[in-house]
Amino acid sequence: MLIDAFPAGPLAANCYVAAPGPDAGCVVVDPGQDAAADLDRVLAEHRLRPEAVLLTHGHFDHVWSAAEVADRHGVPAYVHPADRGLLTDPVRGLDPALASQLSALLGGAEPREPRELRELEAGPLRLAGMEIGVEHAPGHTPGSVVFALPGGDAGPETLFTGDLLFAGSIGRTDFPGGDHAEILRSLERVCLRRPDTAEVLPGHGPGTTVGRERAANPFLRDIAAR
């Protein structure tokens, strides 16, 4: 399995590229603001061909380049239906302070949907020769999802958690559509029921593991103590 990543835009949202190996099809997870140039570098370095864009949730810092990337490569983008509206109306998911800064952050560009946008449904996706699990994990946004790559003999399971779980923290729930009780339920169901070896690739910051967060993340310790 080949996974590469880079932070995109002023809010440093992690964009991931996952493929079975070099010289293969790949999926692009969360291409945020100004992601296209770095994405082209990663694709050229590993000789990869995008087959889909996957969105963990609809906040603008994770989806801003989704239409550009998907349309340029002629591939579909996938988003949970509960977050679809955020692709064209990003202010709807922000608090007033950040909403007032959005036009400056985005330089006046108009948000739009990719030409081919598919709504995520229950069950795995088969893309780029990989079976990718999809788990609805609301709380940060109503349509937050986690994408899971199985491990098996090749290594541990890998979770693309978006803004559900970070190293040492969890996603904020004070934006419109956020729900603290809901995100705790999602963390328990989606993350804490997995083995300690599961790799966590979050939407911001460094990677971690379920075991490390189970032991040291105060939010996950509180869930376990209930």
Side-chain angles (χ1 to χ4, degrees):
M1 185 67 63
L2 186 160
I3 298 176
D4 206 339
F6 58 89
L11 298 181
N14 289 330
C15 178
Y16 295 98
V17 178
D23 294 296
C26 68
V27 296
V28 179
V29 181
D30 285 359
Q33 189 183 1
D34 301 327
D38 280 326
L39 177 60
D40 286 346
R41 172 186 56 78
V42 170
L43 297 176
E45 178 182 350
H46 301 294
R47 303 173 301 282
L48 299 175
R49 303 175 303 278
E51 293 191 9
V53 172
L54 304 181
L55 304 175
T56 61
H57 63 293
H59 282 157
F60 77 92
D61 54 323
H62 294 261
V63 308
W64 191 256
S65 296
E68 177 184 1
V69 171
D71 293 354
R72 182 149 58 90
H73 292 281
V75 301
Y78 292 79
V79 69
H80 191 278
D83 274 16
R84 181 172 184 166
L86 294 176
L87 273 62
T88 53
D89 187 12
V91 170
R92 196 174 78 184
L94 302 176
D95 66 12
L98 189 53
S100 67
Q101 302 173 34
L102 184 61
S103 60
L105 281 171
L106 301 180
E110 288 296 324
R112 63 181 180 87
E113 288 189 352
R115 283 194 290 267
E116 186 177 359
L117 184 63
R118 300 180 184 178
E119 294 186 350
L120 288 164
E121 300 176 353
L125 296 170
R126 185 74 182 176
L127 297 167
M130 301 177 290
E131 186 172 278
I132 303 170
V134 181
E135 297 197 44
H136 187 208
H140 178 64
T141 66
S144 290
V145 300
V146 169
F147 297 108
L149 292 176
D153 295 338
E157 184 181 28
T158 300
L159 306 176
F160 299 93
T161 58
D163 286 0
L164 172 68
L165 176 64
F166 306 120
S169 190
I170 64 173
R172 59 189 297 177
T173 57
D174 56 333
F175 285 159
D179 186 317
H180 188 70
E182 191 75 75
I183 201 172
L184 296 181
R185 288 191 289 269
S186 293
L187 287 161
E188 182 173 24
R189 174 176 49 83
V190 176
C191 299
L192 283 177
R193 294 182 185 178
R194 284 183 150 85
D196 287 348
T197 55
E199 299 279 352
V200 174
L201 299 181
H204 299 270
T208 183
T209 66
V210 167
R212 190 174 302 136
E213 298 314 300
R214 196 193 313 274
N217 188 314
F219 298 96
L220 269 60
R221 285 205 310 263
D222 287 348
I223 295 172
R226 290 187 306 187

